Amino acid sequence: MHKALLVTMTLFALGADVAVADAPEVNATAAQIRAEAARGNDDPLGWPFPLAAHWNTGVLAGGFDPDWQMQMIKQDHHLLPWFQFPIGQITPASLAYYDLAIKRAAELHLPISFVGTQYESIMADEPYFSLPPDQNPNLLKTDGTFAKVADPFGPVDTWKTIGKQWTDNPVLKRIQELYPDPPLVMIVSNNEFPKLSWSETGSSQRYSQLYGAGHDGNFKRKVIGDGFIARYRALQDGMRSGLVNPTWQKNVRFVGYEATGISAFGRWAGWLNYSDYSPERISAWPLAWDGGSACYYTLNSDPSTDFTLWGPQVEGMNLVFMNEQARRMNPNYWFEISTWDGHAPNLDNDKRKTYAKLGQTATPERYGGFVQFGLWLMRPRAVREFRGWTDTVADAGPYFEPVMAAVDRIYAVPTLAAFWRHGTLVANVAHTHPYQAAIPDEYKNIPRWFLLDTNLDPPRPWTLATVLPVFSLALVQGQVGDRQWLIYAHAPLGDRKAVQLTIPDYGAVTVDVSVEGSFYRVDEKTMAVTPVSTRQPKASGARTTGERTADAGGFRTTAAILGKRLPGAHGCACSFRARRSTGDDAHGLFAGSLLLVLYGLRRSRPEAAAEVKPSTGFQPRGSNPCRVVGPVRHGSERPRRGLFHVQ
């Protein structure tokens, strides 16, 4: 018997963990995730493809935990892995939560992200809250007392000290040891700690001492914005300095929730009270953070919906020009959206209950169509779904599935990929954006309306409560006379047949629109309107050729045999996935004439496939698909556990 075969069979007979190469499609998905996360906003290849992410970090059983995420990546979903921000001492719980998934991320060389609280918030705790004024970062009021509010005019150095306190901890040091060379480390902040507003400067002793009275709102918003830029960058510098690995220090990026422009721009005159606008700068936050996660929520606390003028689809149109400005100020600015359907089951104002009272159903398909509109409207780097920290995959998973699908199909469908990379969003200049309250002069003529006209639109003028049966947009490529458009449309209140959509500077087309969303390609030269199929293959780059069930060391394995060759493999090489009765996953590799069942996960070097030689009498069938033909035997021995001939 060949030495390599004997060693391999002995390991399986002993039940040892044997590392084999990852299935090629897993490595391909990981490579796509890595490439798109690292791609610059101005990459010559075009606009970076998006990734899917979440706010629920799975710290409770059944949540969207890191091990579940690795399973999803193995199933060819394009996720930006997320972890709860690590703090404290190393414990059995921290080892169980981080180690396996971090090692797996390291093996696949994936980008990683850490989701946490508002990191500056510990300024409200001791010892910081009792520091003297020259060291205290909290709001110093005119009466000499402090309020638990971030002060843009307080001492900067304390912000840096606070930042370092977060990252200088044993758990994060261990993670850096386990994964020393991530291509991207993202630290995400909930960013909801109270901050001094420009309308409250009268309560600030430091503002009064610096600037005195008599300044208008533009001045106040400008100096507050400048102050927070310096302090949040100091916080981030402190967090960076607490990292012990130079690669982590270099590759870390900081993203804040709503560190973006204000999407409510123009909805009512009071939007300015919640804004940091100053002339020539719609928002200071893209200078204070490396990125922002915009709110794309149908909030349960207000009347917004996915079917009226007051809703994220319409508000998101404001962010298009704001993001263009943000990238001019900060070319590497990472813009993502956070999505939520307002589901709060324990509250009376739960948005699903609101819809039910109207005779509607808030299905995952409807939610997916709504999210997909925001995705194609704003083309974010990531779409990060919000659910509560106690939510589970069992309950919330069906609503995250269409989010993942919306991202994955951009990678899988060539037409969508081409328009995502190079398409230009089409403005509908026949109308102005309905939100027109208190618009600064410099933005009055900027196109903000991207909704296509339809034959189902209600008569104008519209109000915030106006119902819109269909939401549709278009992207364009090519030159006049030879243009192509990609149309995306969704109908939140039910499928619509024969809807007439008007493409600016082209004309009307007639299409069917579904709840979950429909894509069409329109060709100017041929005048053809073609549905874009969004059906995705089972595995990226793989061809399923058959199934065979075999008993392998306690596994009842139904393996989808994927026609593949691996570099250096003798004979044919295929991959499979399986699930044990205990719920553990198995992964295997067909190499030469052996089906290797891997106990306990994880990969090896691809060269492992080349070490396995065909058994006596086996004739490889070239590039033909492999099939299981029986367990490996040697003479009169019992079948070797976990080893199977393939042809």
Side-chain angles (χ1 to χ4, degrees), residues 218-444:
N218 285 338
F219 176 88
K220 294 176 181 178
R221 288 188 291 268
K222 175 67 164 57
V223 297
I224 286 178
D226 290 345
F228 278 135
I229 290 170
R231 282 149 187 82
Y232 276 92
R233 286 305 188 183
L235 177 77
Q236 296 155 27
D237 287 345
M239 297 181 81
R240 184 180 290 107
S241 70
L243 300 171
V244 296
N245 182 309
T247 301
W248 280 61
Q249 292 177 346
K250 176 184 176 183
N251 293 343
V252 68
R253 301 291 183 270
F254 299 91
V255 173
Y257 174 65
E258 293 211 294
T260 64
I262 179 170
S263 61
F265 179 83
R267 175 157 54 82
W268 88 114
W271 70 268
L272 273 168
N273 293 330
Y274 300 89
S275 167
D276 63 330
Y277 159 76
S278 62
E280 300 184 4
R281 191 176 71 187
I282 191 65
S283 175
W285 293 120
L287 294 174
W289 293 86
D290 298 320
S293 193
C295 170
Y296 189 77
Y297 293 174
T298 51
L299 288 165
N300 61 318
S301 57
D302 66 29
S304 63
T305 74
D306 65 352
F307 63 91
T308 56
L309 195 67
W310 186 347
Q313 300 102 309
V314 173
E315 294 199 346
M317 296 180 193
N318 283 323
L319 293 173
V320 174
F321 88 87
M322 296 180 187
N323 290 336
E324 292 173 354
Q325 186 184 95
R327 289 190 292 271
R328 289 195 296 270
M329 295 191 303
N330 179 359
N332 296 318
Y333 180 68
W334 173 285
F335 173 78
E336 63 175 49
I337 60 174
S338 287
T339 68
W340 185 42
D341 61 357
H343 182 47
N346 296 325
L347 299 178
D348 291 338
N349 63 359
D350 168 34
K351 194 65 78 173
R352 294 185 197 172
K353 294 176 184 175
T354 300
Y355 289 170
K357 292 175 182 178
L358 298 172
Q360 303 175 20
T361 305
T363 64
E365 292 78 15
R366 175 175 173 174
Y367 179 62
F370 156 76
V371 170
Q372 194 160 234
F373 185 89
L375 195 64
W376 282 91
L377 172 68
M378 294 175 278
R379 279 186 285 180
R381 300 297 303 269
V383 51
R384 186 179 303 276
E385 190 188 42
F386 171 75
R387 299 289 165 187
W389 71 284
T390 62
D391 277 329
T392 63
V393 173
D395 291 335
Y399 288 82
F400 190 51
E401 287 175 6
V403 175
M404 292 191 294
V407 167
D408 293 335
R409 64 176 55 102
I410 294 168
Y411 294 78
V413 180
T415 297
L416 301 187
F419 276 94
W420 185 277
R421 290 283 197 217
H422 302 293
T424 299
L425 186 64
V426 176
N428 183 355
V429 295
H431 310 282
T432 58
H433 194 292
Y435 296 1
Q436 290 293 328
I439 302 297
D441 288 343
E442 62 188 298
Y443 301 124
K444 284 183 176 178

Side-chain angles (χ1 to χ4, degrees), residues 560-625:
I561 312 304
L562 306 174
K564 286 279 187 183
R565 275 190 172 277
L566 294 182
H570 191 108
C572 59
C574 309
S575 62
F576 84 103
R577 297 193 185 97
R579 184 167 286 276
R580 200 173 187 178
S581 58
T582 60
D584 299 327
D585 280 340
H587 311 279
L589 175 70
F590 292 114
S593 67
L594 299 179
L595 165 58
L596 308 181
V597 176
L598 169 62
Y599 301 103
L601 299 181
R602 309 313 165 218
R603 73 164 193 164
S604 77
R605 301 177 306 277
E607 303 86 74
E611 298 173 1
V612 183
K613 303 299 182 182
S615 57
T616 303
F618 174 74
Q619 297 298 320
R621 296 189 178 189
S623 60
N624 291 334

Side-chain angles (χ1 to χ4, degrees), residues 483-552:
R483 290 174 292 183
Q484 297 82 41
W485 289 268
L486 177 71
I487 291 176
Y488 174 72
H490 80 108
L493 300 181
D495 295 349
R496 300 285 180 157
K497 298 291 185 181
V499 180
Q500 292 181 8
L501 308 177
T502 299
I503 302 174
D505 196 32
Y506 176 74
V509 298
T510 301
V511 299
D512 295 338
V513 182
S514 65
V515 171
E516 61 267 28
S518 306
F519 289 96
Y520 293 89
R521 186 178 183 274
V522 179
D523 189 280
E524 184 174 27
K525 186 173 291 185
T526 66
M527 302 183 70
V529 181
T530 308
V532 178
S533 174
T534 56
R535 181 174 296 178
Q536 298 167 57
K538 287 187 177 180
S540 176
R543 178 169 56 93
T544 301
T545 61
E547 290 189 350
R548 179 70 176 264
T549 299
D551 194 343

Side-chain angles (χ1 to χ4, degrees), residues 43 112 138 501:
D43 193 286
I112 55 176
N138 291 277
L501 308 177

